[in-house]
C-alpha cells in the first residue's frame, strides 16, 4: 500500500510535465510558421490592407489563408474566398481560350490580325495572333500611355484603340519583346469576332467552367459579387479607396476577378494538363524566339524567367487598387498564389520569398561586399 501511495504523486508529476511539454510543442508550432510570420511583416511594410494566399507542394495544398481585411471600412477579414481583381493574370485564361480555337481549326497562330479585325490601322494589320500572345507585336501599350487610373473610367473600343494608334509602332513585329496590354485587348476582340459572344462568356464556358472556377468572372462594378474585396492605394502616407475596374477600359488584358480557391483549381488543371491538349500547353509555355534568334522570356500569358536555374511559369497582375502574382515551379512541384487589395504592393517579391522558404535551393548565395 505504501508503494501505491508514493507512486501517485510521481504519476501526477509525470503527467503534469507531459502536459507542459505538449503545451510548449503546440505553442512552438503556432509560432514556427515562417510563411505566416513573413506575410504579416509584409502587410505592415508594404501597407497591404488584405491578402489571400495559397501554397501547393507536391500536389497538396499546404496553406490557404487570408490575412488582414478585404474591406477596411466594414472591417471584413480577408479569407481564401475573398474576391480580388487579378489584373494581367487574366491573360492566361484568354490565351487558353485562344488555344481551344486553335485546336478546333478556327484560328491559326500565324494568322494576321487583319483577317479578323480589318478596320485596324494599316501598321498593325500584318501582326500575327502569336505576336499578340507573346508581346512581340510592337503595338504600343495603352496602359503605358494612360496609366492604371484609366481603368476606373468606362470607355469604348474605338477610343481605347485610338490611344495606342496615336503612337508609332514600338518596333517591327517579331523583332523585340515589349509588354503590351493592347495586344491582349485585341485578342479579346478577335475571340468575340470568331465566337459571336463576349470573351469573358467564352472563357467561362470553355476554360473557367470546366476548371471548376465558379468565382472567376468579369470585374463589372455594377454587378453584385459576393465576397468582393475593396481596392486601396497607399498614397501620401495613407490608404485611399479605389473604384472598381471598368471592364471596357481593359478588356481581355485583365478584366477578371478571382479567388485563391479558384486559382488553386486552375493550378490543378495545369498540373494535370487537362482541358487543353498537351501540345497546346507546350506552346503556351514555350519561350518565344525573336527574329534574331534570341529568347523573349515569355510564352502565351506566362512569364518564363527561371529562378536560380529552376524552371518558372509565373505572371503578375495590377490594377488601380489591386496587385497579385501566381508562381509555378513545375519541376519542383511548388506553386504560390498571392492576391492583395492594394495596387502599390509587390506580390512578386512575396511569392518568390515563400517559394524560397519551401525550396532553399532557390536562394542565391550572398555576395561579399
Amino acid at each position: 500500500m505504501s508503494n501505491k501511495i508514493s507512486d501517485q504523486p510521481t504519476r501526477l508529476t509525470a503527467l503534469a510535465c507531459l502536459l507542459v511539454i505538449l503545451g510548449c510543442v503546440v505553442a512552438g508550432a503556432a509560432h514556427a510558421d515562417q510563411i505566416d510570420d513573413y506575410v504579416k511583416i509584409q502587410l505592415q511594410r508594404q501597407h497591404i490592407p488584405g491578402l489571400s494566399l495559397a501554397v501547393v507542394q507536391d500536389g497538396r495544398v499546404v496553406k490557404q489563408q487570408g490575412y488582414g481585411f478585404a474591406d477596411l471600412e466594414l472591417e471584413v477579414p480577408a479569407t481564401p474566398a475573398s474576391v480580388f481583381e487579378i489584373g494581367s493574370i487574366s491573360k492566361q485564361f484568354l490565351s487558353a481560350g485562344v488555344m481551344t480555337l486553335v485546336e478546333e481549326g478556327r484560328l491559326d497562330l500565324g494568322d494576321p490580325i487583319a483577317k479578323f479585325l480589318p478596320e485596324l490601322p494599316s501598321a498593325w494589320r500584318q501582326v500575327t495572333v502569336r505576336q499578340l500572345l507573346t508581346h512581340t507585336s510592337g503595338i504600343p501599350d495603352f496602359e503605358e500611355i494612360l496609366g492604371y487610373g484609366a481603368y476606373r473610367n468606362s470607355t469604348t473600343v474605338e477610343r481605347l484603340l485610338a490611344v495606342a494608334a496615336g503612337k508609332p509602332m514600338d518596333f517591327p513585329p517579331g523583332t523585340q519583346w515589349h509588354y503590351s496590354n493592347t495586344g491582349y485587348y485585341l485578342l479579346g476582340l478577335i475571340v468575340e469576332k470568331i465566337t459571336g459572344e463576349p470573351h469573358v462568356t467564352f472563357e467561362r464556358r470553355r476554360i473557367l467552367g470546366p476548371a471548376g472556377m465558379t468565382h472567376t468572372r468579369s470585374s463589372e462594378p455594377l454587378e453584385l459579387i459576393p465576397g468582393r474585396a475593396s481596392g486601396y492605394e497607399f498614397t501620401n502616407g495613407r490608404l485611399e479607396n479605389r473604384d472598381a475596374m471598368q471592364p471596357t477600359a481593359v478588356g481581355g488584358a485583365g478584366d477578371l476577378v478571382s479567388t485563391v480557391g479558384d486559382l488553386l483549381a486552375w493550378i490543378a488543371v495545369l498540373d494535370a494538363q487537362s482541358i487543353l491538349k498537351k501540345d497546346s500547353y507546350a506552346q503556351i509555355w514555350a519561350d518565344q524566339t525573336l527574329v534574331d534568334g534570341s529568347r523573349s522570356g515569355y510564352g502565351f500569358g506566362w512569364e518564363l524567367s527561371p529562378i536560380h536555374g529552376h524552371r518558372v511559369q509565373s505572371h503578375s497582375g495590377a490594377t488601380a487598387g489591386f496587385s497579385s502574382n501566381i508562381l509555378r515551379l513545375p519541376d519542383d512541384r511548388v506553386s504560390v498564389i498571392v492576391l492583395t487589395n492594394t495596387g502599390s504592393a509587390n506580390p512578386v517579391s512575396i511569392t518568390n520569398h515563400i517559394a524560397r522558404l519551401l525550396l532553399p535551393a532557390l536562394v542565391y548565395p550572398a555576395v561579399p561586399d
Side-chain angles (χ1 to χ4, degrees), residues 25-40:
V25 169
V26 170
H31 294 287
D33 191 327
Q34 290 181 294
I35 294 176
D36 276 350
D37 294 342
Y38 171 74
V39 170
K40 290 171 184 176

PDB file of all heavy atoms in Angstrom, residues 25-40:
ATOM      1  N   VAL A  25       5.152  22.390 -27.177  1.00  0.00           N
ATOM      2  CA  VAL A  25       5.242  21.964 -28.567  1.00  0.00           C
ATOM      3  C   VAL A  25       4.184  22.651 -29.409  1.00  0.00           C
ATOM      4  O   VAL A  25       4.448  23.164 -30.499  1.00  0.00           O
ATOM      5  CB  VAL A  25       5.100  20.430 -28.679  1.00  0.00           C
ATOM      6  CG1 VAL A  25       4.935  20.014 -30.130  1.00  0.00           C
ATOM      7  CG2 VAL A  25       6.301  19.742 -28.046  1.00  0.00           C
ATOM      8  N   VAL A  26       2.931  22.673 -28.866  1.00  0.00           N
ATOM      9  CA  VAL A  26       1.839  23.312 -29.595  1.00  0.00           C
ATOM     10  C   VAL A  26       2.126  24.805 -29.774  1.00  0.00           C
ATOM     11  O   VAL A  26       1.959  25.373 -30.849  1.00  0.00           O
ATOM     12  CB  VAL A  26       0.501  23.100 -28.862  1.00  0.00           C
ATOM     13  CG1 VAL A  26      -0.597  23.955 -29.480  1.00  0.00           C
ATOM     14  CG2 VAL A  26       0.122  21.621 -28.898  1.00  0.00           C
ATOM     15  N   ALA A  27       2.569  25.448 -28.677  1.00  0.00           N
ATOM     16  CA  ALA A  27       2.874  26.871 -28.768  1.00  0.00           C
ATOM     17  C   ALA A  27       4.005  27.122 -29.750  1.00  0.00           C
ATOM     18  O   ALA A  27       3.973  28.072 -30.530  1.00  0.00           O
ATOM     19  CB  ALA A  27       3.244  27.405 -27.381  1.00  0.00           C
ATOM     20  N   GLY A  28       5.007  26.246 -29.723  1.00  0.00           N
ATOM     21  CA  GLY A  28       6.133  26.385 -30.648  1.00  0.00           C
ATOM     22  C   GLY A  28       5.686  26.247 -32.082  1.00  0.00           C
ATOM     23  O   GLY A  28       6.096  27.010 -32.955  1.00  0.00           O
ATOM     24  N   ALA A  29       4.769  25.269 -32.318  1.00  0.00           N
ATOM     25  CA  ALA A  29       4.279  25.055 -33.680  1.00  0.00           C
ATOM     26  C   ALA A  29       3.496  26.274 -34.158  1.00  0.00           C
ATOM     27  O   ALA A  29       3.562  26.659 -35.323  1.00  0.00           O
ATOM     28  CB  ALA A  29       3.391  23.810 -33.724  1.00  0.00           C
ATOM     29  N   ALA A  30       2.764  26.901 -33.227  1.00  0.00           N
ATOM     30  CA  ALA A  30       1.965  28.064 -33.608  1.00  0.00           C
ATOM     31  C   ALA A  30       2.844  29.226 -34.052  1.00  0.00           C
ATOM     32  O   ALA A  30       2.439  30.050 -34.851  1.00  0.00           O
ATOM     33  CB  ALA A  30       1.085  28.480 -32.428  1.00  0.00           C
ATOM     34  N   HIS A  31       4.057  29.297 -33.509  1.00  0.00           N
ATOM     35  CA  HIS A  31       4.938  30.418 -33.835  1.00  0.00           C
ATOM     36  C   HIS A  31       6.020  30.033 -34.831  1.00  0.00           C
ATOM     37  O   HIS A  31       6.846  30.865 -35.196  1.00  0.00           O
ATOM     38  CB  HIS A  31       5.581  30.944 -32.546  1.00  0.00           C
ATOM     39  CG  HIS A  31       4.597  31.557 -31.598  1.00  0.00           C
ATOM     40  ND1 HIS A  31       4.012  32.786 -31.814  1.00  0.00           N
ATOM     41  CD2 HIS A  31       4.064  31.101 -30.441  1.00  0.00           C
ATOM     42  CE1 HIS A  31       3.175  33.066 -30.810  1.00  0.00           C
ATOM     43  NE2 HIS A  31       3.188  32.067 -29.977  1.00  0.00           N
ATOM     44  N   ALA A  32       6.024  28.765 -35.247  1.00  0.00           N
ATOM     45  CA  ALA A  32       7.109  28.296 -36.101  1.00  0.00           C
ATOM     46  C   ALA A  32       6.781  28.397 -37.583  1.00  0.00           C
ATOM     47  O   ALA A  32       7.557  27.971 -38.409  1.00  0.00           O
ATOM     48  CB  ALA A  32       7.453  26.840 -35.747  1.00  0.00           C
ATOM     49  N   ASP A  33       5.607  28.959 -37.928  1.00  0.00           N
ATOM     50  CA  ASP A  33       5.209  29.062 -39.326  1.00  0.00           C
ATOM     51  C   ASP A  33       5.897  30.272 -39.950  1.00  0.00           C
ATOM     52  O   ASP A  33       5.465  31.416 -39.787  1.00  0.00           O
ATOM     53  CB  ASP A  33       3.690  29.190 -39.437  1.00  0.00           C
ATOM     54  CG  ASP A  33       3.206  29.020 -40.872  1.00  0.00           C
ATOM     55  OD1 ASP A  33       3.940  29.425 -41.791  1.00  0.00           O
ATOM     56  OD2 ASP A  33       2.106  28.497 -41.060  1.00  0.00           O
ATOM     57  N   GLN A  34       6.972  30.016 -40.679  1.00  0.00           N
ATOM     58  CA  GLN A  34       7.746  31.104 -41.270  1.00  0.00           C
ATOM     59  C   GLN A  34       6.934  31.887 -42.295  1.00  0.00           C
ATOM     60  O   GLN A  34       7.119  33.094 -42.447  1.00  0.00           O
ATOM     61  CB  GLN A  34       9.001  30.541 -41.936  1.00  0.00           C
ATOM     62  CG  GLN A  34      10.045  30.021 -40.970  1.00  0.00           C
ATOM     63  CD  GLN A  34      11.260  29.493 -41.714  1.00  0.00           C
ATOM     64  OE1 GLN A  34      11.185  28.506 -42.438  1.00  0.00           O
ATOM     65  NE2 GLN A  34      12.384  30.165 -41.540  1.00  0.00           N
ATOM     66  N   ILE A  35       6.056  31.183 -43.003  1.00  0.00           N
ATOM     67  CA  ILE A  35       5.252  31.865 -44.019  1.00  0.00           C
ATOM     68  C   ILE A  35       4.330  32.884 -43.366  1.00  0.00           C
ATOM     69  O   ILE A  35       4.250  34.040 -43.790  1.00  0.00           O
ATOM     70  CB  ILE A  35       4.447  30.847 -44.852  1.00  0.00           C
ATOM     71  CG1 ILE A  35       5.396  29.962 -45.672  1.00  0.00           C
ATOM     72  CG2 ILE A  35       3.459  31.559 -45.765  1.00  0.00           C
ATOM     73  CD1 ILE A  35       4.700  28.869 -46.459  1.00  0.00           C
ATOM     74  N   ASP A  36       3.618  32.470 -42.292  1.00  0.00           N
ATOM     75  CA  ASP A  36       2.740  33.398 -41.585  1.00  0.00           C
ATOM     76  C   ASP A  36       3.514  34.616 -41.091  1.00  0.00           C
ATOM     77  O   ASP A  36       3.083  35.760 -41.256  1.00  0.00           O
ATOM     78  CB  ASP A  36       2.086  32.701 -40.392  1.00  0.00           C
ATOM     79  CG  ASP A  36       0.844  31.919 -40.779  1.00  0.00           C
ATOM     80  OD1 ASP A  36       0.398  32.070 -41.930  1.00  0.00           O
ATOM     81  OD2 ASP A  36       0.335  31.166 -39.947  1.00  0.00           O
ATOM     82  N   ASP A  37       4.648  34.347 -40.451  1.00  0.00           N
ATOM     83  CA  ASP A  37       5.440  35.440 -39.889  1.00  0.00           C
ATOM     84  C   ASP A  37       5.874  36.405 -40.991  1.00  0.00           C
ATOM     85  O   ASP A  37       5.801  37.631 -40.821  1.00  0.00           O
ATOM     86  CB  ASP A  37       6.672  34.890 -39.162  1.00  0.00           C
ATOM     87  CG  ASP A  37       6.307  34.086 -37.921  1.00  0.00           C
ATOM     88  OD1 ASP A  37       5.168  34.238 -37.448  1.00  0.00           O
ATOM     89  OD2 ASP A  37       7.157  33.318 -37.444  1.00  0.00           O
ATOM     90  N   TYR A  38       6.316  35.866 -42.115  1.00  0.00           N
ATOM     91  CA  TYR A  38       6.788  36.704 -43.213  1.00  0.00           C
ATOM     92  C   TYR A  38       5.651  37.535 -43.801  1.00  0.00           C
ATOM     93  O   TYR A  38       5.800  38.745 -44.025  1.00  0.00           O
ATOM     94  CB  TYR A  38       7.420  35.836 -44.302  1.00  0.00           C
ATOM     95  CG  TYR A  38       7.747  36.598 -45.566  1.00  0.00           C
ATOM     96  CD1 TYR A  38       8.813  37.477 -45.617  1.00  0.00           C
ATOM     97  CD2 TYR A  38       6.945  36.459 -46.696  1.00  0.00           C
ATOM     98  CE1 TYR A  38       9.093  38.197 -46.768  1.00  0.00           C
ATOM     99  CE2 TYR A  38       7.217  37.179 -47.852  1.00  0.00           C
ATOM    100  CZ  TYR A  38       8.297  38.045 -47.881  1.00  0.00           C
ATOM    101  OH  TYR A  38       8.557  38.753 -49.018  1.00  0.00           O
ATOM    102  N   VAL A  39       4.491  36.897 -44.035  1.00  0.00           N
ATOM    103  CA  VAL A  39       3.366  37.606 -44.640  1.00  0.00           C
ATOM    104  C   VAL A  39       2.893  38.741 -43.734  1.00  0.00           C
ATOM    105  O   VAL A  39       2.618  39.864 -44.199  1.00  0.00           O
ATOM    106  CB  VAL A  39       2.204  36.642 -44.953  1.00  0.00           C
ATOM    107  CG1 VAL A  39       0.946  37.410 -45.343  1.00  0.00           C
ATOM    108  CG2 VAL A  39       2.597  35.684 -46.065  1.00  0.00           C
ATOM    109  N   LYS A  40       2.826  38.498 -42.454  1.00  0.00           N
ATOM    110  CA  LYS A  40       2.366  39.535 -41.526  1.00  0.00           C
ATOM    111  C   LYS A  40       3.314  40.737 -41.514  1.00  0.00           C
ATOM    112  O   LYS A  40       2.878  41.885 -41.420  1.00  0.00           O
ATOM    113  CB  LYS A  40       2.207  38.942 -40.130  1.00  0.00           C
ATOM    114  CG  LYS A  40       1.023  37.980 -40.037  1.00  0.00           C
ATOM    115  CD  LYS A  40       0.992  37.234 -38.722  1.00  0.00           C
ATOM    116  CE  LYS A  40      -0.150  36.213 -38.705  1.00  0.00           C
ATOM    117  NZ  LYS A  40      -0.144  35.409 -37.460  1.00  0.00           N
TER     118      LYS A  40
END
